[in-house]
Amino acid sequence: MARTIVIVFGAALLAASTARAAEPAGSGFEIGVRTGYAFAAGDRGAPPNGADQPVGDYVAGQVPLWLDVGYRLNSNVYLGGFVQYGFGIVNDDRQDACRLDNVDCSASDTRLGVMGRYHLPVGSLLSPWLGFGVGYEWGTFSLHQSLIGSSNTDSTWSGFEFANLQVGADYHVVPKVALAPFVSVSIGQFRHISTKTVTGTTTTTTDEDVAATSLHEWILIGVRAAFMP
């Protein structure tokens, strides 16, 4: 995965080396798509009658697909919304059940929110920017086993994302299209747990609040492609 990130960044920088000087974007709608790799940090929070555990014990990281849709007020200020679906990398080393025969584990992370971005004065090839967002997050861990009969268990932890801090720089490939290496750190707190277990024709669901909350973070290193007004 680290090799893939290096290749993506290298491609972005290579494109930038042949780009024309950056031109200030005008006002209008802007769309951006992002991907990369996000490292997990922090804790999930303790369920009732349970213990708190690091997010990384379940999901070591994730590969997100992130969509930005918003409006460029002027060359410096952007306001919009975002949605992200992340493909989780299950930490099999910490989840013994996931290493058993006929047991498959998977994970995902969904984020939805609003954000703003401020672009610093345009340079010869790039436009550095700072971003801030808030939103809501759903993290799901699923276990499917077919060793004895068949059962599926989906556990979803949800809560607010208090802050998403971003820094990046747009390299203008052409005047209206840019590639942007970026780093973001999101800070959230799960507040609710929902578990659904399906065994044969029987479905069992539970919904409960987290008994002791904790903060967790996603540290994302990625690249953004932007289509500007």
Side-chain angles (χ1 to χ4, degrees):
M1 184 59 63
R3 182 179 179 182
T4 300
I5 293 172
V6 170
I7 292 173
V8 170
F9 279 145
L13 293 176
L14 179 61
S17 67
T18 61
R20 293 187 289 176
E23 298 178 9
S27 63
F29 286 100
E30 180 176 315
I31 297 176
V33 291
R34 313 191 197 194
T35 190
Y37 187 82
F39 301 88
D43 299 320
R44 297 198 311 168
N49 302 315
D52 197 357
Q53 289 181 297
V55 173
D57 281 0
Y58 292 85
V59 185
Q62 60 169 297
V63 177
L65 297 178
W66 178 336
L67 175 67
D68 298 320
V69 178
Y71 194 83
R72 197 76 172 257
L73 300 180
N74 51 47
S75 61
N76 300 113
V77 180
Y78 164 96
L79 297 175
F82 70 89
V83 60
Q84 175 212 283
Y85 182 85
F87 298 90
I89 310 300
V90 174
N91 189 347
D92 290 336
D93 292 337
R94 302 290 294 176
Q95 298 299 313
D96 295 339
C98 296
R99 299 196 301 271
L100 299 176
D101 292 337
N102 300 309
V103 174
D104 294 317
C105 295
S106 62
S108 65
D109 187 71
T110 304
R111 298 167 51 236
L112 179 69
V114 295
M115 60 166 287
R117 202 166 58 243
Y118 180 76
H119 290 252
L120 302 174
V122 173
S124 59
L125 284 176
L126 59 86
S127 172
W129 48 263
L130 303 172
F132 178 81
V134 295
Y136 203 81
E137 177 186 10
W138 297 264
T140 299
F141 189 88
S142 302
L143 188 150
H144 170 75
Q145 73 87 18
S146 56
L147 186 61
I148 302 176
S150 178
S151 68
N152 291 282
T153 299
D154 299 317
S155 297
T156 299
W157 297 64
S158 59
F160 287 101
E161 181 178 281
F162 301 122
N164 183 279
L165 309 174
Q166 309 167 29
V167 59
D170 289 343
Y171 288 89
H172 291 256
V173 180
V174 295
K176 302 299 183 182
V177 179
L179 294 178
F182 75 94
V183 176
S184 73
V185 178
S186 65
I187 303 170
Q189 185 180 75
F190 292 132
R191 303 298 299 268
H192 189 75
I193 315 165
S194 176
T195 302
K196 178 181 178 181
T197 300
V198 178
T199 304
T201 59
T202 302
T203 300
T204 303
T205 60
T206 60
D207 292 286
E208 52 194 0
D209 293 330
V210 173
T213 58
S214 299
L215 293 178
H216 69 275
E217 299 81 36
W218 291 104
I219 303 166
L220 171 59
I221 301 173
V223 64
R224 177 179 185 263
F227 304 89
M228 301 176 175

